[in-house]
Amino acid sequence: AMRIAQMSGWVSQSLMALWSNIGEVEDGMRTLTPAHAITDAEGAQVLGRVQGEVRFDQVSFAYGREKGGIDGVDLTIKPGERIGIVGASGAGKSTLVALLLRLYDTEKGRVMIDGTDLRDVTQESLRRNIGMVTQETAMFNRSARENILYGRPDATEEEMIAAAKAAEAHDFILGLVDHTGKTGYEAALGERGVKLSGGQRQRIALARAFLKNAPILVLDEATSALDSEVEAAIQKALGRVMEGKTVLAIAHRLSTIAEMDRIVVLDQGRIVEEGSHAELLAQNGLYARYWNRQSGGFLGTEEEEAEEPLPGIEAA
Ligand code: ADP
Ligand code: MG
């Protein structure tokens, strides 16, 4: 169970690191190079600001010859619709999101935004349309201000602070002191700066996303427990950031998922259930089982993985 948790942690961590570093300025410590460099097609068009319709059209993808990936996923998400993605560790949640970010190309089928195949647009313009929030978001060895401005470098000081406030990050940022004595928005983050908790990182990520204001938002909630005060602050901030956006949320807390317009349940790379929280409970299938087992707790914790080993992966 430990190994499964580590593996999936590694997958999503490298995914996030990749996403936040491709083509970006180096952070002083290291520059990540995509292992699987995807290049723009000749004559790729620039995707303007989209309405936010996301469509997976019979999409299949596998990692090499190994098992795992996505198998025949057909899913259309309306602009402004909020989708929750649930499933056991290894079900394909991160892979689905990776395909939307075009970290990989599909083997079969296509992924489209507003009806345009992702392979026909520049990666830069694709990235501008998608915001990303996760607890694993990389912090750069720069000030808190610069870390938030990363969402939109030309934003004004007022806009930057408004974003931090909307993300419930302003108050804790004011309390930061780094090892050189710099405080607040001047305090250095990253590996050589102030160590942030998972909940704080998530709020910096939310502030960036708020500032970026992209029409499509991807959320990947971490499994780690947050104290209830932080949890409430993050829920509030999430609500603000999701406003008017097309949202794909991978959440481990089913309480977050229950609020979504539609929930998609993945199992071994396939969509096995789809519907609202109430519909899925009535269906009494996999989602209902997760819900009953979790009773407001977490999905994909080590204990639960131990209860239900995954096919295709040896338990350590
Ligand atoms: P989830 O996010 O639901 O935990 P993932 O999308 O990370 O699931 O993984 C789906 C499947 O693909 C798993 O079986 C996993 O082991 C496999 N997988 C994910 N990333 C890779 C990779 N980079 N190389 C090989 N297999 C991978
Ligand atoms: Mg994952």
Side-chain angles (χ1 to χ4, degrees):
M2 273 297 281
R3 228 173 76 202
I4 295 168
Q6 278 166 0
M7 267 183 65
S8 90
W10 182 85
V11 169
S12 70
Q13 209 160 337
S14 49
L15 197 149
M16 301 319 163
L18 198 57
W19 175 248
S20 44
N21 284 282
I22 290 174
E24 301 294 343
V25 289
E26 55 188 293
D27 67 2
M29 290 292 282
R30 74 216 128 94
T31 306
L32 294 174
T33 313
H36 36 69
I38 290 205
T39 51
D40 288 349
E42 213 171 301
Q45 59 184 101
V46 171
L47 192 63
R49 189 179 172 87
V50 299
Q51 292 294 310
E53 187 204 64
V54 171
R55 178 153 178 227
F56 293 88
D57 176 24
Q58 296 293 342
V59 170
S60 294
F61 170 80
Y63 294 94
R65 274 181 300 152
E66 293 173 49
K67 282 187 74 174
I70 284 295
D71 188 9
V73 165
D74 215 23
L75 176 67
T76 303
I77 309 170
K78 294 193 290 280
E81 192 182 11
R82 300 171 184 192
I83 295 282
I85 305 167
V86 295
S89 178
K93 305 181 294 295
S94 296
T95 304
L96 195 65
V97 160
L99 291 170
L100 174 63
L101 305 176
R102 206 183 165 212
L103 297 182
Y104 307 99
D105 275 332
T106 57
E107 264 161 29
K108 285 191 203 134
R110 19 176 215 172
V111 184
M112 292 180 286
I113 294 182
D114 283 12
T116 306
D117 192 315
L118 300 191
R119 287 170 294 206
D120 297 335
V121 303
T122 67
Q123 294 170 84
E124 203 268 330
S125 67
L126 171 64
R127 261 179 275 140
R128 254 193 317 221
N129 276 288
I130 305 177
M132 180 107 194
V133 177
T134 150
Q135 282 190 4
E136 275 121 21
T137 304
M139 293 299 140
F140 304 106
N141 289 304
R142 305 268 171 84
S143 66
R145 165 185 291 104
E146 286 166 293
N147 268 281
I148 294 173
L149 281 173
Y150 182 76
R152 180 156 55 89
D154 64 354
T156 65
E157 181 77 5
E158 288 69 31
E159 290 169 327
M160 189 276 298
I161 289 177
K165 284 183 175 165
E168 303 281 330
H170 180 69
D171 291 342
F172 88 75
I173 289 172
L174 291 185
L176 296 178
V177 185
D178 72 16
H179 66 288
T180 67
K182 288 197 180 119
T183 61
Y185 284 94
E186 305 307 324
L189 307 183
E191 286 163 44
R192 285 177 264 156
V194 185
K195 278 269 167 294
L196 298 180
S197 69
Q200 290 173 331
R201 294 168 87 85
Q202 194 168 356
R203 279 175 284 167
I204 297 278
L206 278 164
R208 275 183 194 163
F210 201 86
L211 205 53
K212 182 168 179 177
N213 192 27
I216 298 168
L217 190 63
V218 171
L219 308 171
D220 199 347
E221 204 178 59
T223 39
S224 61
L226 298 169
D227 65 59
S228 54
E229 201 178 313
V230 170
E231 162 102 50
I234 286 179
Q235 289 302 332
K236 220 189 222 174
L238 271 173
R240 292 179 188 132
V241 170
M242 290 193 299
E243 191 75 48
K245 309 282 194 286
T246 302
V247 178
L248 283 87
I250 300 174
H252 300 274
R253 273 174 285 260
L254 292 187
S255 53
T256 307
I257 288 291
E259 310 281 311
M260 299 287 158
D261 300 320
R262 187 154 47 124
I263 298 159
V264 166
V265 183
L266 282 180
D267 188 33
Q268 296 182 58
R270 291 171 172 274
I271 295 181
V272 292
E273 288 172 24
E274 202 177 321
S276 69
H277 174 72
E279 284 164 356
L280 292 184
L281 283 189
Q283 215 170 298
N284 205 22
L286 196 54
Y287 180 80
R289 246 173 66 212
Y290 285 146
W291 180 259
N292 293 329
R293 191 164 68 183
Q294 191 180 64
S295 57
F298 294 90
L299 186 66
T301 61
E302 274 169 32
E303 299 88 278
E304 282 169 354
E305 303 298 357
E307 256 176 52
E308 199 170 349
L310 290 167
I313 301 180
E314 278 171 52

PDB file of all heavy atoms in Angstrom, residues 7-8 10-11 63 66-69 88-95 104 313, ligand 1:
ATOM      1  N   MET A   7       3.928   5.823  -5.440  1.00  0.00           N
ATOM      2  CA  MET A   7       3.914   5.900  -6.897  1.00  0.00           C
ATOM      3  C   MET A   7       2.956   6.963  -7.403  1.00  0.00           C
ATOM      4  O   MET A   7       3.305   7.785  -8.221  1.00  0.00           O
ATOM      5  CB  MET A   7       3.480   4.558  -7.500  1.00  0.00           C
ATOM      6  CG  MET A   7       4.661   3.673  -7.828  1.00  0.00           C
ATOM      7  SD  MET A   7       4.088   2.169  -8.593  1.00  0.00           S
ATOM      8  CE  MET A   7       3.402   2.803 -10.110  1.00  0.00           C
ATOM      9  N   SER A   8       1.737   6.922  -6.876  1.00  0.00           N
ATOM     10  CA  SER A   8       0.762   7.861  -7.415  1.00  0.00           C
ATOM     11  C   SER A   8       1.123   9.272  -6.986  1.00  0.00           C
ATOM     12  O   SER A   8       0.890  10.223  -7.707  1.00  0.00           O
ATOM     13  CB  SER A   8      -0.661   7.464  -7.016  1.00  0.00           C
ATOM     14  OG  SER A   8      -1.016   8.055  -5.809  1.00  0.00           O
ATOM     15  N   TRP A  10       4.163  10.315  -6.739  1.00  0.00           N
ATOM     16  CA  TRP A  10       5.243  10.691  -7.639  1.00  0.00           C
ATOM     17  C   TRP A  10       4.693  11.119  -9.006  1.00  0.00           C
ATOM     18  O   TRP A  10       5.105  12.126  -9.566  1.00  0.00           O
ATOM     19  CB  TRP A  10       6.213   9.510  -7.806  1.00  0.00           C
ATOM     20  CG  TRP A  10       7.357   9.853  -8.678  1.00  0.00           C
ATOM     21  CD1 TRP A  10       8.515  10.463  -8.305  1.00  0.00           C
ATOM     22  CD2 TRP A  10       7.445   9.665 -10.088  1.00  0.00           C
ATOM     23  NE1 TRP A  10       9.312  10.659  -9.391  1.00  0.00           N
ATOM     24  CE2 TRP A  10       8.683  10.180 -10.494  1.00  0.00           C
ATOM     25  CE3 TRP A  10       6.588   9.104 -11.046  1.00  0.00           C
ATOM     26  CZ2 TRP A  10       9.089  10.149 -11.824  1.00  0.00           C
ATOM     27  CZ3 TRP A  10       6.991   9.080 -12.365  1.00  0.00           C
ATOM     28  CH2 TRP A  10       8.231   9.595 -12.740  1.00  0.00           C
ATOM     29  N   VAL A  11       3.709  10.341  -9.475  1.00  0.00           N
ATOM     30  CA  VAL A  11       3.122  10.645 -10.782  1.00  0.00           C
ATOM     31  C   VAL A  11       2.516  12.044 -10.767  1.00  0.00           C
ATOM     32  O   VAL A  11       2.834  12.872 -11.614  1.00  0.00           O
ATOM     33  CB  VAL A  11       2.047   9.598 -11.179  1.00  0.00           C
ATOM     34  CG1 VAL A  11       1.260  10.072 -12.383  1.00  0.00           C
ATOM     35  CG2 VAL A  11       2.709   8.259 -11.469  1.00  0.00           C
ATOM     36  N   TYR A  63       0.599   4.035 -21.158  1.00  0.00           N
ATOM     37  CA  TYR A  63       2.009   4.368 -20.934  1.00  0.00           C
ATOM     38  C   TYR A  63       2.847   3.211 -21.457  1.00  0.00           C
ATOM     39  O   TYR A  63       2.913   2.160 -20.821  1.00  0.00           O
ATOM     40  CB  TYR A  63       2.289   4.552 -19.447  1.00  0.00           C
ATOM     41  CG  TYR A  63       1.582   5.738 -18.840  1.00  0.00           C
ATOM     42  CD1 TYR A  63       0.340   5.585 -18.225  1.00  0.00           C
ATOM     43  CD2 TYR A  63       2.148   6.999 -18.884  1.00  0.00           C
ATOM     44  CE1 TYR A  63      -0.311   6.677 -17.654  1.00  0.00           C
ATOM     45  CE2 TYR A  63       1.516   8.095 -18.324  1.00  0.00           C
ATOM     46  CZ  TYR A  63       0.285   7.923 -17.714  1.00  0.00           C
ATOM     47  OH  TYR A  63      -0.353   8.990 -17.155  1.00  0.00           O
ATOM     48  N   GLU A  66       3.065  -0.924 -20.815  1.00  0.00           N
ATOM     49  CA  GLU A  66       2.572  -1.246 -19.482  1.00  0.00           C
ATOM     50  C   GLU A  66       1.062  -1.047 -19.413  1.00  0.00           C
ATOM     51  O   GLU A  66       0.477  -0.349 -20.216  1.00  0.00           O
ATOM     52  CB  GLU A  66       3.238  -0.337 -18.436  1.00  0.00           C
ATOM     53  CG  GLU A  66       4.706  -0.605 -18.294  1.00  0.00           C
ATOM     54  CD  GLU A  66       5.352   0.417 -17.372  1.00  0.00           C
ATOM     55  OE1 GLU A  66       4.814   0.631 -16.277  1.00  0.00           O
ATOM     56  OE2 GLU A  66       6.376   0.991 -17.764  1.00  0.00           O
ATOM     57  N   LYS A  67       0.490  -1.656 -18.421  1.00  0.00           N
ATOM     58  CA  LYS A  67      -0.932  -1.423 -18.182  1.00  0.00           C
ATOM     59  C   LYS A  67      -1.101  -0.018 -17.612  1.00  0.00           C
ATOM     60  O   LYS A  67      -0.158   0.620 -17.212  1.00  0.00           O
ATOM     61  CB  LYS A  67      -1.462  -2.450 -17.176  1.00  0.00           C
ATOM     62  CG  LYS A  67      -1.717  -3.808 -17.805  1.00  0.00           C
ATOM     63  CD  LYS A  67      -2.400  -4.725 -16.803  1.00  0.00           C
ATOM     64  CE  LYS A  67      -3.861  -4.342 -16.599  1.00  0.00           C
ATOM     65  NZ  LYS A  67      -4.563  -5.312 -15.735  1.00  0.00           N
ATOM     66  N   GLY A  68      -2.306   0.438 -17.586  1.00  0.00           N
ATOM     67  CA  GLY A  68      -2.566   1.749 -17.003  1.00  0.00           C
ATOM     68  C   GLY A  68      -2.798   2.767 -18.085  1.00  0.00           C
ATOM     69  O   GLY A  68      -2.381   2.595 -19.220  1.00  0.00           O
ATOM     70  N   GLY A  69      -3.460   3.841 -17.714  1.00  0.00           N
ATOM     71  CA  GLY A  69      -3.774   4.886 -18.672  1.00  0.00           C
ATOM     72  C   GLY A  69      -5.272   5.101 -18.743  1.00  0.00           C
ATOM     73  O   GLY A  69      -5.968   5.015 -17.733  1.00  0.00           O
ATOM     74  N   ALA A  88     -10.226   5.041  -7.468  1.00  0.00           N
ATOM     75  CA  ALA A  88      -9.122   4.566  -6.635  1.00  0.00           C
ATOM     76  C   ALA A  88      -7.801   5.071  -7.196  1.00  0.00           C
ATOM     77  O   ALA A  88      -7.734   5.517  -8.348  1.00  0.00           O
ATOM     78  CB  ALA A  88      -9.129   3.047  -6.589  1.00  0.00           C
ATOM     79  N   SER A  89      -6.769   4.995  -6.400  1.00  0.00           N
ATOM     80  CA  SER A  89      -5.434   5.332  -6.864  1.00  0.00           C
ATOM     81  C   SER A  89      -5.083   4.439  -8.053  1.00  0.00           C
ATOM     82  O   SER A  89      -5.300   3.227  -8.009  1.00  0.00           O
ATOM     83  CB  SER A  89      -4.460   5.121  -5.703  1.00  0.00           C
ATOM     84  OG  SER A  89      -3.166   5.398  -6.141  1.00  0.00           O
ATOM     85  N   GLY A  90      -4.613   5.052  -9.130  1.00  0.00           N
ATOM     86  CA  GLY A  90      -4.259   4.284 -10.326  1.00  0.00           C
ATOM     87  C   GLY A  90      -5.399   4.151 -11.322  1.00  0.00           C
ATOM     88  O   GLY A  90      -5.250   3.541 -12.378  1.00  0.00           O
ATOM     89  N   ALA A  91      -6.561   4.731 -11.005  1.00  0.00           N
ATOM     90  CA  ALA A  91      -7.743   4.604 -11.880  1.00  0.00           C
ATOM     91  C   ALA A  91      -7.599   5.382 -13.182  1.00  0.00           C
ATOM     92  O   ALA A  91      -8.296   5.107 -14.151  1.00  0.00           O
ATOM     93  CB  ALA A  91      -8.996   5.066 -11.138  1.00  0.00           C
ATOM     94  N   GLY A  92      -6.707   6.401 -13.194  1.00  0.00           N
ATOM     95  CA  GLY A  92      -6.499   7.168 -14.421  1.00  0.00           C
ATOM     96  C   GLY A  92      -6.872   8.636 -14.310  1.00  0.00           C
ATOM     97  O   GLY A  92      -6.870   9.366 -15.306  1.00  0.00           O
ATOM     98  N   LYS A  93      -7.140   9.114 -13.107  1.00  0.00           N
ATOM     99  CA  LYS A  93      -7.568  10.504 -12.901  1.00  0.00           C
ATOM    100  C   LYS A  93      -6.504  11.497 -13.382  1.00  0.00           C
ATOM    101  O   LYS A  93      -6.798  12.413 -14.151  1.00  0.00           O
ATOM    102  CB  LYS A  93      -7.892  10.749 -11.416  1.00  0.00           C
ATOM    103  CG  LYS A  93      -8.910   9.788 -10.830  1.00  0.00           C
ATOM    104  CD  LYS A  93      -9.213  10.082  -9.369  1.00  0.00           C
ATOM    105  CE  LYS A  93      -8.052   9.864  -8.412  1.00  0.00           C
ATOM    106  NZ  LYS A  93      -7.605   8.449  -8.317  1.00  0.00           N
ATOM    107  N   SER A  94      -5.278  11.307 -12.914  1.00  0.00           N
ATOM    108  CA  SER A  94      -4.207  12.242 -13.303  1.00  0.00           C
ATOM    109  C   SER A  94      -3.903  12.136 -14.790  1.00  0.00           C
ATOM    110  O   SER A  94      -3.560  13.131 -15.434  1.00  0.00           O
ATOM    111  CB  SER A  94      -2.932  11.963 -12.501  1.00  0.00           C
ATOM    112  OG  SER A  94      -3.162  12.217 -11.133  1.00  0.00           O
ATOM    113  N   THR A  95      -4.032  10.940 -15.337  1.00  0.00           N
ATOM    114  CA  THR A  95      -3.765  10.753 -16.761  1.00  0.00           C
ATOM    115  C   THR A  95      -4.780  11.533 -17.594  1.00  0.00           C
ATOM    116  O   THR A  95      -4.419  12.186 -18.587  1.00  0.00           O
ATOM    117  CB  THR A  95      -3.810   9.256 -17.127  1.00  0.00           C
ATOM    118  OG1 THR A  95      -2.875   8.558 -16.290  1.00  0.00           O
ATOM    119  CG2 THR A  95      -3.460   9.020 -18.585  1.00  0.00           C
ATOM    120  N   TYR A 104       0.744  14.571 -22.783  1.00  0.00           N
ATOM    121  CA  TYR A 104       0.878  13.427 -23.681  1.00  0.00           C
ATOM    122  C   TYR A 104      -0.136  13.599 -24.801  1.00  0.00           C
ATOM    123  O   TYR A 104      -1.144  14.278 -24.613  1.00  0.00           O
ATOM    124  CB  TYR A 104       0.540  12.109 -22.968  1.00  0.00           C
ATOM    125  CG  TYR A 104       1.297  11.862 -21.693  1.00  0.00           C
ATOM    126  CD1 TYR A 104       0.718  12.128 -20.462  1.00  0.00           C
ATOM    127  CD2 TYR A 104       2.588  11.348 -21.728  1.00  0.00           C
ATOM    128  CE1 TYR A 104       1.407  11.889 -19.280  1.00  0.00           C
ATOM    129  CE2 TYR A 104       3.280  11.104 -20.552  1.00  0.00           C
ATOM    130  CZ  TYR A 104       2.686  11.380 -19.330  1.00  0.00           C
ATOM    131  OH  TYR A 104       3.365  11.140 -18.178  1.00  0.00           O
ATOM    132  N   ILE A 313      -1.003  -3.915  -9.941  1.00  0.00           N
ATOM    133  CA  ILE A 313       0.108  -3.379  -9.148  1.00  0.00           C
ATOM    134  C   ILE A 313       0.286  -4.249  -7.920  1.00  0.00           C
ATOM    135  O   ILE A 313      -0.651  -4.491  -7.184  1.00  0.00           O
ATOM    136  CB  ILE A 313      -0.162  -1.918  -8.704  1.00  0.00           C
ATOM    137  CG1 ILE A 313      -0.368  -1.029  -9.918  1.00  0.00           C
ATOM    138  CG2 ILE A 313       0.982  -1.396  -7.858  1.00  0.00           C
ATOM    139  CD1 ILE A 313      -0.631   0.419  -9.561  1.00  0.00           C
TER     140      ILE A 313
HETATM  141  P1  ADP B   1      -4.743   8.193 -10.562  1.00  0.00           P
HETATM  142  O1  ADP B   1      -4.415   9.609 -10.776  1.00  0.00           O
HETATM  143  O2  ADP B   1      -6.194   7.860 -10.680  1.00  0.00           O
HETATM  144  O3  ADP B   1      -4.168   7.655  -9.298  1.00  0.00           O
HETATM  145  P2  ADP B   1      -2.939   7.775 -12.786  1.00  0.00           P
HETATM  146  O4  ADP B   1      -3.583   8.467 -13.916  1.00  0.00           O
HETATM  147  O5  ADP B   1      -1.829   8.446 -12.094  1.00  0.00           O
HETATM  148  O6  ADP B   1      -4.055   7.324 -11.743  1.00  0.00           O
HETATM  149  O7  ADP B   1      -2.420   6.365 -13.285  1.00  0.00           O
HETATM  150  C1  ADP B   1      -3.229   5.475 -14.053  1.00  0.00           C
HETATM  151  C2  ADP B   1      -2.427   4.234 -14.380  1.00  0.00           C
HETATM  152  O8  ADP B   1      -1.351   4.573 -15.229  1.00  0.00           O
HETATM  153  C3  ADP B   1      -1.823   3.553 -13.174  1.00  0.00           C
HETATM  154  O9  ADP B   1      -1.873   2.160 -13.395  1.00  0.00           O
HETATM  155  C4  ADP B   1      -0.402   4.048 -13.153  1.00  0.00           C
HETATM  156  O10 ADP B   1       0.461   3.114 -12.572  1.00  0.00           O
HETATM  157  C5  ADP B   1      -0.119   4.217 -14.632  1.00  0.00           C
HETATM  158  N1  ADP B   1       0.839   5.312 -14.860  1.00  0.00           N
HETATM  159  C6  ADP B   1       0.665   6.593 -14.546  1.00  0.00           C
HETATM  160  N2  ADP B   1       1.727   7.336 -14.928  1.00  0.00           N
HETATM  161  C7  ADP B   1       2.597   6.488 -15.498  1.00  0.00           C
HETATM  162  C8  ADP B   1       3.892   6.626 -16.099  1.00  0.00           C
HETATM  163  N3  ADP B   1       4.489   7.817 -16.190  1.00  0.00           N
HETATM  164  N4  ADP B   1       4.486   5.514 -16.578  1.00  0.00           N
HETATM  165  C9  ADP B   1       3.881   4.302 -16.493  1.00  0.00           C
HETATM  166  N5  ADP B   1       2.669   4.101 -15.952  1.00  0.00           N
HETATM  167  C10 ADP B   1       2.030   5.167 -15.453  1.00  0.00           C
END
